[in-house]
């Protein structure tokens, strides 16, 4: 907020204090100094100034609220998101809502809370905050900025809301005087929305406009925005069946160009397993964008497109957040390219992962039905179902929260479109009902985890989930309940970055004698252990773990030695890629039958997207492996994964 900090009687009060203490700095002076620091580059100094001012106004709610909001922005600039999240929420809670002079502060706090949620890939919460910011905004520019953020997030959570927000932007464009780059940014968001809605022809036209706004196809100057929008256009052309034009646009991004360099596969670069919490299917595909930071981690991860819906897109993006590269790899990569990497992804079929939350939800539904409760079908699209679910909750809770309210609460808690804050509050209400009615531990566990994690902005960061959830292992009623212990440990293992710690946690589930061998959580632990063993090359351990799961499958980890490659097929290098001097790589997954022939080949990661995907599958389609004996002559090895590098000869 610019201008004077105090108004009316508050200003007069501080004026009298200043007169009484001629040598003391006034609060207004401290505020002006903090605001000046905020406008500069030393955000640590700005934070120190806001924290000092916060102490001075501790007894004045309005003033403290303003300082908290400003402090939250400084914290966010320093990447201290949890603290920024807490300060902004606290400030908003006590900012007078009817004071028009504080609209800018309310807007900035709401918008920053949206940014924090977006960074953690909680797009439902981000969209909610951006929507609130749009309502609060009192300038056309701020309204358009907030509406643009609504489009960018609801594209993957609520397509109808994205279209409505885009319509609001379109209505303002005629009167707005925007530069070409701003128009390009708006066009890119609109094209992404159209792309994910399946309106391919419209997306192609919109992306052409965006490319033009960012300077066209001129390769003499190119920045990160040019790279993104040209890659967007490539996706649209590929989905429209024009592969040549798609590859041309990819070539114009510089990705894979021998003249610039190549992004190497990461040392820890695994797509999400099929199945899991998002129910990923082999046909699902996503394009994810990210940056490779100086320390080799994936940062600024965001989904671009998914065949399978927004939930699929966000699940693939969450997997990318766990990838990493060595210091040597980072040093060798072109800096320009590593700040804007895109990959095409499909899920990993090697070990399909059962969903933990599905099992816990099933326990709640089974218990509730035993109490005569009717749980609603949740097969409808989440955004479509949300309105009806809210109405059902309002009707069910007209006379207060009773056991009959639980199904309506349960439905909303498990709707991914619901903002995290609201989901957490509803989970706490549902959990209280479950406890009051003696629900079994495993039935209430999912609600409890949701209630505890909903308020953590940086839940994805290393060790954060463990800090919140691990104490539950020692708490009643979970400590004495074997399924609950197992579910908690599976969740903890899935959130661990290090394989050794994850493996140790999973072994506790596998060795829990209170769980029967066929328990779904024990089976899930065995599958995860097999996956970890296969990743480190211990095929015997992988075979033993998978066999112990009791599942029937012909996985490569079930035999001590995968079949040896006998011969490759013909050269499959795309001619367009040769002509444009492009290189790249894929990780390709396929089955091998008992006679050594390849079946069901599919690229699970491709860089650059779409250029070498078919080439990667074609490379192995005509390959031959050693024969593997099977009495029934069936599959010899399932979900074998191999990398293929496409390099041009010097």
């Amino acid at each position: 907020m610019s201008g004077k900090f105090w108004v009316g009687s508050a200003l007069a009060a501080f004026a009298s204090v200043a007169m009484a203490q001629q040598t003391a700095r006034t609060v207004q002076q401290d505020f002006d100094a903090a605001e000046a620091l905020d406008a500069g580059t030393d955000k640590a100094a700005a934070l120190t100034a806001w924290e000092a001012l916060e102490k001075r106004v501790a007894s004045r709610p309005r003033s403290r609220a303003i300082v908290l909001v400003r402090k939250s922005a400084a914290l966010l600039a320093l990447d201290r998101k949890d603290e920024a999240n807490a300060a902004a929420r606290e400030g908003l809670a006590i900012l007078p809502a009817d004071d028009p002079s504080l609209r800018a502060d309310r807007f900035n706090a709401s918008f920053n809370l949206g940014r924090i949620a977006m960074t953690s890939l909680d797009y439902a919460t981000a969209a909610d905050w951006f929507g609130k910011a749009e309502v609060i905004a009192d300038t056309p520019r701020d309204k358009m900025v907030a509406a643009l953020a609504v489009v960018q997030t609801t594209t993957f959570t609520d397509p109808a809301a994205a279209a409505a927000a885009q319509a609001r932007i379109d209505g303002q464009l005629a009167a707005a005087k925007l530069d070409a780059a701003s128009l390009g940014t708006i066009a890119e968001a609109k094209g992404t929305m159209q792309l994910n809605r399946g309106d391919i022809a419209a997306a192609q036209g919109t992306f052409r406009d965006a490319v033009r706004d960012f300077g066209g196809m001129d390769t003499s100057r190119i920045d990160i925005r040019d790279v993104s929008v040209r890659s967007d256009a490539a996706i649209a052309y590929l989905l429209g069946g024009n592969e040549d034009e798609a590859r041309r646009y990819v070539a114009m991004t510089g990705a894979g160009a021998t003249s610039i360099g190549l992004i190497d596969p990461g040392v820890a670069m695994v797509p999400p397993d099929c199945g899991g919490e998002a129910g990923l299917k082999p046909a699902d595909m996503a394009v994810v964008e990210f940056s490779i930071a100086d320390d080799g981690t994936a940062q600024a991860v965001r989904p671009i497109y998914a065949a399978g819906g927004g939930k699929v897109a966000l699940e693939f993006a969450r997997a990318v957040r766990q990838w990493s590269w060595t210091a040597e790899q980072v040093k060798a990569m072109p800096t320009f390219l590593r700040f804007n990497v895109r990959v095409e992804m499909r899920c990993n079929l090697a070990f399909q992962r059962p969903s933990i939350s599905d099992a816990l939800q099933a326990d709640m539904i089974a218990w509730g039905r035993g109490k005569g409760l009717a749980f609603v079908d949740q097969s409808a699209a989440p955004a479509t179902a949300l309105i009806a679910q809210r109405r059902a909750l309002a009707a069910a809770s007209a006379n207060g929260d009773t056991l009959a309210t639980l199904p309506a609460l349960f439905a909303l808690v498990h709707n991914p479109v619901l903002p995290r804050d609201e989901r957490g509050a509803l989970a706490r209400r549902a959990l209280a009902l479950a406890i009051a009615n003696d629900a079994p531990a495993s039935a209430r566990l999912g609600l409890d985890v949701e209630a505890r994690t909903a308020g953590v902005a940086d839940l994805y960061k290393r060790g954060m989930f463990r800090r919140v959830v691990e104490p539950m292992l020692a708490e009643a009623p979970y400590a004495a309940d074997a399924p609950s212990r197992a579910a908690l440990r599976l969740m903890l293992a899935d959130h661990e970055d290090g394989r050794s710690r994850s493996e140790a946690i999973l072994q506790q589930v596998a060795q829990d004698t209170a769980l029967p061998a066929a328990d779904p959580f024990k089976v899930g632990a065995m599958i995860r252990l097999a996956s970890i063993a296969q990743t480190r090359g211990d095929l015997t351990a992988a075979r033993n773990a998978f066999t112990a799961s009791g599942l029937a499958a012909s996985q490569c980890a079930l035999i001590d030695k995968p079949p040896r490659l006998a011969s490759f097929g013909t050269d499959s290098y795309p001619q367009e890629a040769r002509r444009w001097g492009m290189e790249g790589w894929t990780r390709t997954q396929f089955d091998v039958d008992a006679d050594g022939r390849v079946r069901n080949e599919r690229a699970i990661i491709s860089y650059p997207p779409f250029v070498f995907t078919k080439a990667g599958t074609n490379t192995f389609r005509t390959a031959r492996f050693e024969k593997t004996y099977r009495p029934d002559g069936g599959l010899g090895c399932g979900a074998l994964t191999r990398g293929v590098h496409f390099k041009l000869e010097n």
Side-chain angles (χ1 to χ4, degrees):
M1 182 180 71
S2 59
K4 293 300 180 184
F5 179 50
W6 300 106
V7 296
S9 60
L11 181 60
F14 273 100
S16 64
V17 172
M19 291 172 60
Q21 300 177 354
Q22 294 291 332
T23 59
R25 284 177 60 89
T26 66
V27 170
Q28 182 64 55
Q29 287 174 324
D30 281 352
F31 179 84
D32 291 342
E35 196 172 43
L37 287 168
D38 235 358
T41 58
D42 192 347
K43 299 303 180 183
L47 175 60
T48 299
W50 290 123
E51 288 177 335
L53 192 56
E54 182 184 2
K55 295 176 182 177
R56 293 195 67 180
V57 299
S59 62
R60 299 174 175 85
R62 179 184 185 279
S63 306
R64 182 169 175 269
I66 296 170
V67 172
L68 281 169
V69 167
R70 302 302 182 88
K71 171 186 166 182
S72 74
L75 286 164
L76 182 57
L78 294 169
D79 200 34
R80 292 163 60 175
K81 296 188 184 69
D82 266 343
E83 296 167 89
N85 183 65
R89 288 172 183 273
E90 186 179 0
L92 275 177
I94 54 179
L95 268 179
D98 57 351
D99 187 339
S101 70
L102 300 179
R103 290 178 71 94
D105 281 298
R106 290 198 299 274
F107 172 85
N108 289 332
S110 299
F111 193 84
N112 284 341
L113 284 167
R115 290 173 57 202
I116 293 169
M118 192 174 182
T119 300
S120 66
L121 296 177
D122 181 6
Y123 275 26
T125 297
D128 185 59
W129 282 114
F130 290 141
K132 290 174 180 176
E134 185 183 359
V135 172
I136 295 168
D138 58 357
T139 68
R141 176 195 171 278
D142 284 350
K143 281 195 175 294
M144 191 172 292
V145 166
L148 178 63
V150 171
V151 173
Q152 292 169 330
T153 48
T154 55
T155 288
F156 298 99
T157 61
D158 188 348
Q166 184 61 53
R168 295 194 295 274
I169 294 172
D170 291 342
Q172 298 176 60
L173 281 178
K177 295 181 179 180
L178 301 178
D179 58 29
S182 297
L183 290 171
T185 300
I186 291 170
E188 183 179 17
K190 182 177 183 178
T192 301
M193 177 198 69
Q194 292 167 332
L195 194 69
N196 283 276
R197 286 169 63 93
D199 194 351
I200 306 305
Q204 289 174 353
T206 304
F207 286 138
R208 282 197 301 270
D209 291 342
V211 170
R212 180 202 62 215
D213 291 332
F214 284 131
M217 297 292 275
D218 180 10
T219 57
S220 62
R221 61 168 190 83
I222 183 171
D223 61 20
I224 288 176
R225 296 173 304 175
D226 294 302
V227 171
S228 290
V229 75
R230 292 174 187 181
S231 182
D232 293 333
I235 299 171
Y237 279 110
L238 177 90
L239 296 176
N242 191 338
E243 294 185 12
D244 289 348
E245 191 70 355
R247 289 195 180 101
R248 184 175 77 90
Y249 271 95
V250 173
M252 293 299 102
T253 68
T258 54
S259 59
I260 298 177
L262 194 66
I263 297 296
D264 286 333
V267 292
M269 195 176 200
V270 181
D273 291 340
C274 295
E277 303 304 324
L280 297 181
K281 301 176 181 62
D284 292 336
M285 179 273 286
V287 176
V288 177
E289 181 180 279
F290 58 97
S291 297
I292 302 173
D294 293 342
D295 63 358
T297 58
Q299 304 288 338
V301 182
R302 69 183 184 110
I304 302 299
Y305 169 77
K311 188 175 182 181
V312 166
L314 290 166
E315 187 69 11
F316 277 104
R318 292 185 187 101
V320 170
R321 214 162 42 192
Q322 305 303 317
W323 292 359
S324 59
W325 287 256
T326 66
E328 291 75 17
Q329 285 180 305
V330 172
K331 186 177 180 180
M333 290 178 195
T335 303
F336 175 72
L337 285 185
R338 70 179 173 90
F339 284 135
N340 195 279
V341 185
R342 286 191 177 187
V343 292
E344 175 188 354
M345 300 171 65
R346 290 170 182 79
C347 63
N348 176 28
L349 273 169
F351 297 96
Q352 296 193 54
R353 181 172 298 193
S355 167
I356 304 166
S357 63
D358 282 354
L360 295 176
Q361 289 179 48
D363 284 355
M364 171 59 81
I365 292 171
W367 171 79
R369 285 176 177 165
K371 294 283 187 179
L373 301 179
F375 286 84
V376 298
D377 177 25
Q378 298 190 53
S379 59
T384 303
L386 188 60
I387 295 174
Q389 289 171 350
R390 290 189 191 279
R391 288 174 180 165
L393 177 60
S397 56
N399 298 316
D401 281 357
T402 65
L403 185 58
T405 317
L406 187 57
L409 288 166
F410 186 79
L412 278 166
V413 167
H414 293 97
N415 188 319
V417 176
L418 200 71
R420 179 188 287 167
D421 281 353
E422 188 176 354
R423 194 162 62 243
L426 295 176
R428 287 188 287 274
R429 287 173 61 186
L431 178 62
L433 288 171
I435 293 172
N437 289 275
D438 296 321
S442 61
R444 69 173 78 165
L445 177 59
L447 295 171
D448 201 349
V449 171
E450 186 65 56
R452 299 190 193 209
T453 58
V456 184
D458 279 353
L459 194 66
Y460 67 93
K461 283 193 172 179
R462 187 186 302 272
M464 189 67 70
F465 186 86
R466 184 197 320 154
R467 191 180 310 165
V468 176
V469 173
E470 193 171 46
M472 297 175 70
L473 283 168
E475 297 175 9
Y478 311 121
D481 183 67
S484 297
R485 294 195 304 268
L488 284 168
R489 285 175 174 139
L490 287 177
M491 293 179 201
L492 289 165
D494 285 351
H495 282 82
E496 284 295 334
D497 292 333
R499 285 198 296 267
S500 60
R501 182 175 174 85
S502 180
E503 187 171 15
I505 296 170
L506 293 170
Q507 288 290 359
Q508 291 178 295
V509 181
Q511 295 166 10
D512 192 336
T513 57
L515 289 172
D519 180 88
F521 294 133
K522 181 169 279 192
V523 170
M526 293 300 183
I527 291 171
R528 288 162 171 79
L529 286 168
S531 181
I532 291 171
Q534 185 191 42
T535 301
R536 69 165 183 264
D538 189 346
L539 298 182
T540 300
R543 177 196 62 203
N544 292 339
F546 199 90
T547 301
S549 75
L551 299 180
S554 296
Q555 298 289 345
C556 288
L558 299 185
I559 54 179
D560 288 323
K561 183 180 179 182
R564 186 178 66 85
L565 180 65
S567 65
F568 267 113
T570 57
D571 180 17
S572 58
Y573 211 113
Q575 291 306 308
E576 298 90 343
R578 284 187 190 277
R579 187 165 65 250
W580 293 323
M582 294 182 68
E583 298 181 339
W585 50 265
T586 68
R587 286 188 63 80
T588 302
Q589 197 167 77
F590 48 88
D591 301 332
V592 180
D593 68 18
D595 287 331
R597 291 187 295 265
V598 171
R599 300 283 185 262
N600 307 317
E601 60 280 353
R602 53 198 289 274
I604 56 174
I605 308 178
S606 300
Y607 174 83
F610 311 123
V611 176
F612 297 100
T613 303
K614 284 189 175 179
T617 58
N618 288 340
T619 296
F620 284 101
R621 180 170 294 136
T622 54
R624 289 293 180 268
F625 286 79
E626 290 179 334
K627 293 184 178 181
T628 304
Y629 174 73
R630 288 291 183 274
D632 60 0
L635 190 68
C637 180
L640 184 63
T641 304
R642 290 288 185 270
V644 185
H645 277 73
F646 293 90
K647 289 187 174 292
L648 294 168
E649 296 178 359
N650 294 328

